[in-house]
Amino acid sequence: MRQYSADLTPPWKKPQPVPEVPADPGLVVEEPGTGFCGAVIRCEAGTVTLEDRFGKHRVFPLEPRGFLLEGRVVTLVRPSSSGPARSAPSRTASGSVAVPGARARVARAGRIYVEGRHDAELVEKVWGDDLRIEGVVVEYLGGVDDLPSIVADFAPGPDARLGVLVDHLVPGSKEWRIAEAVTSEHALVVGHPYIDIWEAVKPSSVGIDAWPRVPHGQDWKTGVCRALGWPSDNTGAVWQAILARVSSYKDLEPELLGRVEELIDFVTA
């Protein structure tokens, strides 16, 4: 008598085999259950530790079909001690772990607003890769005086958070009072202490000892250019020269770095 298999599962419904990939340090994978994406930093005792672009660590079990590599399901296995060593994960300009081949995410409803065009250009240069992966769009206000009407029109909510970066946000200032008036559960306004975003670039990065002090009432950019012997009749060109000196987060002051990362976290939470 002919024998039949007890497995009646159609072939097209059976799990297809997936490749086994050594969990070498530096390999960037995603755990699909949580969406956590990061580089392998450690693999031991049936677990793998990943580090995401913010430096956060998560430990996951080495389960079959447990990870995505460049969008494809794989099974991570412990690397052999004789296997080739991987280099440390590459970093973006913001210092986060780069994700090779990652596609830009569809834009979120949430937004980050900065005060001016120069602010937007600096944020794009340093955090652009991170923002595209997270689907965060950056726009500029043109002036903090417009912030109350912009927030009202935007109508922030749980699925559409609004983050705002303001120049010269110090207690008691006009900017401070406006920020206090529009801040809510779904709208976060943060700022740095500098009069202009130029000051957030480290002086050493542009080849000067310090940013000069400009007398109150005088246009700050024009005063800086005159004090340093730069062309004062084309501050836009001067800014492009400054921006060209910025290659990564290391060229920026910590007071700016922390605020931008805070806004990205807030909008993507």
Side-chain angles (χ1 to χ4, degrees):
M1 180 180 294
R2 188 173 182 179
Q3 299 293 320
Y4 293 90
S5 169
D7 185 2
L8 302 180
T9 304
W12 59 87
K13 289 190 176 182
K14 293 182 179 180
Q16 299 300 309
V18 301
E20 293 187 347
V21 179
D24 294 324
L27 180 71
V28 177
V29 295
E30 178 183 348
E31 200 285 314
T34 61
F36 190 90
C37 182
V40 174
I41 61 171
R42 188 180 306 110
C43 184
E44 57 188 5
T47 64
V48 62
T49 303
L50 305 182
E51 179 187 41
D52 74 0
R53 67 186 189 86
F54 297 113
K56 297 176 183 177
H57 292 182
R58 290 282 296 274
V59 180
F60 298 100
L62 288 176
E63 296 180 342
R65 309 173 65 88
F67 297 88
L68 299 178
L69 175 61
E70 298 181 354
R72 296 178 298 176
V73 177
V74 299
T75 297
L76 289 188
V77 296
R78 294 190 67 178
S80 62
S81 57
S82 59
R86 284 182 177 264
S87 58
S90 59
R91 301 278 171 171
T92 66
S94 70
S96 61
V97 176
V99 184
R103 294 181 178 179
R105 179 175 177 166
V106 175
R108 295 173 181 266
R111 290 288 187 274
I112 291 178
Y113 275 91
V114 296
E115 195 164 339
R117 183 185 297 274
H118 293 180
D119 308 62
E121 290 174 344
L122 183 62
V123 170
E124 162 61 28
K125 183 161 188 180
V126 176
W127 286 273
D129 290 340
D130 303 341
L131 293 168
R132 279 182 284 278
I133 289 177
E134 295 292 349
V136 177
V137 175
V138 175
E139 300 182 23
Y140 65 91
L141 302 170
V144 73
D145 292 337
D146 299 329
L147 185 55
S149 60
I150 287 176
V151 174
D153 291 342
F154 188 86
D159 298 323
R161 289 187 160 199
L162 180 64
V164 183
L165 178 70
V166 176
D167 296 343
H168 199 233
L169 192 62
V170 295
S173 66
K174 176 189 72 173
E175 293 82 1
W176 178 271
R177 292 190 294 272
I178 292 175
E180 288 288 294
V182 302
T183 297
S184 67
E185 181 182 0
H186 305 300
L188 174 66
V189 182
V190 301
H192 53 74
Y194 307 113
I195 296 174
D196 190 274
I197 197 67
W198 290 20
E199 272 195 302
V201 179
K202 290 180 178 179
S204 58
S205 296
V206 294
I208 60 176
D209 294 329
W211 290 103
R213 293 184 178 275
V214 177
H216 183 70
Q218 183 179 146
D219 179 74
W220 190 85
K221 291 186 178 75
T222 302
V224 165
C225 290
R226 288 172 177 166
L228 295 174
W230 295 345
S232 60
D233 59 344
N234 192 345
T235 56
V238 173
W239 166 245
Q240 292 303 317
I242 294 171
L243 188 62
R245 295 291 193 95
V246 176
S247 59
S248 76
Y249 72 98
K250 296 178 182 179
D251 295 307
L252 304 180
E253 298 287 1
E255 288 83 355
L256 177 66
L257 296 174
R259 300 294 73 76
V260 175
E261 295 286 354
E262 184 179 356
L263 288 178
I264 295 175
D265 284 347
F266 178 79
V267 173
T268 59

